Amino acid sequence: MIVSISNEHLAVEFSTKGAELKSIVGVDSAINYMWRGDTQFWGKFSPVLFPIVGALKENTYEYQGQRYTLSRHGFARDLEFEHELVAATEINFKLKHTEETLKIYPFEFELILRYRLRGASLQCTYQVVNLGSQTMLFSIGGHPAFAAPLNQQGVYTDYYLQFNNDDKLTFHHIDDNLIADQTTTIELKDKTLPLKHELFYGDALVFKNLKSNHIRLLNTKNYNGLNFHFEGFPYFGIWAAIDADFVCLEPWCGIADAVSHNQQLEEKEGMEKLVAKETWERSWEVCCF
């Protein structure tokens, strides 16, 4: 089911499956800032990564002596969320544990996604509520794919990313969906990373020590683009499918297993720990122009 919110600047659509953001369209410009989901390359738009980010080693983990299987990025992106239209400019999506989720993830939870329009900005807030009696271990992250070029005008190499606090980028390599020890450093000119398809031929660029909390997607042909702001996410990914005309800006609280991980959930890097009956919250925001 497709649902929407709008104001005088933006019209935004979502799917109730996965609470997935599907389009952000400028009311006056008619520019769609989101990737169009061409299945030839990648059929998603902005999946929600929960209760893990990335892949588990052998797609399995152990917790309190029991072994579980959980697919890459978790199950939230594949499930139907309840939704509530709070106002013309705000919508909430909710997902709770079920008998089926407890078989693969033994925690009682409520996951809330709140999307809110403020002027030409869309804010996405994640709330995780621990409904159980034990400390909950989880990861969560965003995966929004932004079009480059916008409205299919121009070419990919017209576009670049500008970081507010980084002069160089050191990213971890990915080995069979897992985080390798090997890193590569890219020196930036004017805090700018030019986009080219070859950047992502080895999979995503995964950052553990990104200094920036603000990334701009800009181009050399016109003034259209976006500002992406995020706070409190210790990991970040930048990715595109091979030769696809988009770039994903991915704030993460969590990360894929390391190649050498022992598969113990309590020892997994990047897991958030939420005590019983407490609520956890993080937000990111995109401003379109």
Side-chain angles (χ1 to χ4, degrees):
M1 180 179 176
I2 302 300
V3 293
S4 63
I5 58 175
S6 63
N7 64 8
E8 66 272 25
H9 299 283
L10 299 172
V12 185
E13 289 189 337
F14 310 89
S15 172
T16 55
K17 180 181 178 181
E20 187 173 14
L21 169 64
K22 295 182 74 72
S23 69
I24 306 174
V25 178
V27 170
D28 293 330
S29 67
I31 293 174
N32 184 0
Y33 292 85
M34 298 295 296
W35 162 246
R36 289 157 185 79
D38 185 345
T39 55
Q40 178 182 347
F41 298 95
W42 187 59
K44 295 185 180 295
F45 305 83
S46 181
V48 177
L49 316 183
F50 177 87
I52 59 168
V53 170
L56 298 171
K57 191 174 184 178
E58 299 174 351
N59 289 325
T60 62
Y61 68 92
E62 292 187 11
Y63 178 69
Q64 295 185 344
Q66 187 166 341
R67 197 168 180 85
Y68 299 89
T69 298
L70 195 54
S71 60
R72 189 182 189 190
H73 294 321
F75 50 71
R77 61 181 180 164
D78 297 318
L79 298 181
E80 192 75 15
F81 280 64
E82 296 180 2
H83 71 281
E84 175 190 10
L85 189 63
V86 178
T89 57
E90 183 174 346
I91 192 168
N92 292 343
F93 294 92
K94 295 182 180 181
L95 180 71
K96 291 183 69 173
H97 66 277
T98 65
E99 290 184 5
E100 293 304 309
T101 66
L102 289 170
K103 293 176 183 177
I104 55 176
Y105 178 68
F107 298 98
E108 299 177 351
F109 69 88
E110 183 174 53
L111 171 62
I112 302 166
L113 267 74
R114 178 183 299 119
Y115 293 98
R116 180 172 58 174
L117 284 170
R118 301 190 300 182
S121 294
L122 175 68
Q123 183 185 63
C124 173
T125 298
Y126 305 120
Q127 283 188 338
V128 180
V129 184
N130 182 354
L131 299 178
S133 58
Q134 62 180 328
T135 296
M136 177 181 172
L137 304 178
F138 72 94
S139 293
I140 192 167
H143 203 310
F146 300 107
L150 297 171
N151 273 19
Q152 301 177 323
Q153 296 178 358
V155 296
Y156 198 66
T157 51
D158 293 337
Y159 284 74
Y160 59 94
L161 299 176
Q162 188 173 74
F163 299 79
N164 67 328
N165 287 324
D166 287 279
D167 295 305
K168 61 182 179 181
L169 301 174
T170 298
F171 66 90
H172 280 258
H173 290 237
I174 295 179
D175 182 359
D176 193 23
N177 293 329
L178 304 179
I179 304 300
D181 291 333
Q182 181 185 2
T183 62
T184 293
T185 298
I186 302 173
E187 299 289 340
L188 303 181
K189 182 180 180 181
D190 299 324
K191 296 182 170 60
T192 294
L193 177 67
L195 289 183
K196 54 184 179 180
H197 292 305
E198 295 89 334
L199 271 175
F200 309 109
Y201 283 178
D203 212 321
L205 312 184
V206 176
F207 304 98
K208 294 187 179 183
N209 298 295
L210 195 69
K211 297 177 182 177
S212 295
N213 62 356
H214 192 97
I215 301 173
R216 306 182 78 198
L217 175 62
L218 304 169
N219 73 88
T220 59
K221 301 301 183 182
N222 57 51
Y223 293 104
N224 297 123
L226 57 87
N227 299 327
F228 190 80
H229 183 78
F230 50 99
E231 293 282 357
F233 294 89
Y235 304 96
F236 201 89
I238 302 177
W239 176 77
I242 292 177
D243 292 331
D245 287 340
F246 68 84
V247 61
C248 285
L249 302 179
E250 306 181 40
W252 298 336
C253 287
I255 194 170
D257 276 354
V259 171
S260 59
H261 183 51
N262 63 10
Q263 298 177 277
Q264 298 297 317
L265 189 67
E266 292 171 293
E267 299 176 30
K268 176 175 169 56
E269 181 180 359
M271 297 301 291
E272 296 289 330
K273 297 177 175 63
L274 183 61
V275 300
K277 313 305 179 185
E278 292 294 316
T279 299
W280 177 101
E281 182 174 301
R282 293 289 187 279
S283 297
W284 55 261
E285 187 168 356
V286 57
C287 178
C288 303
F289 52 87

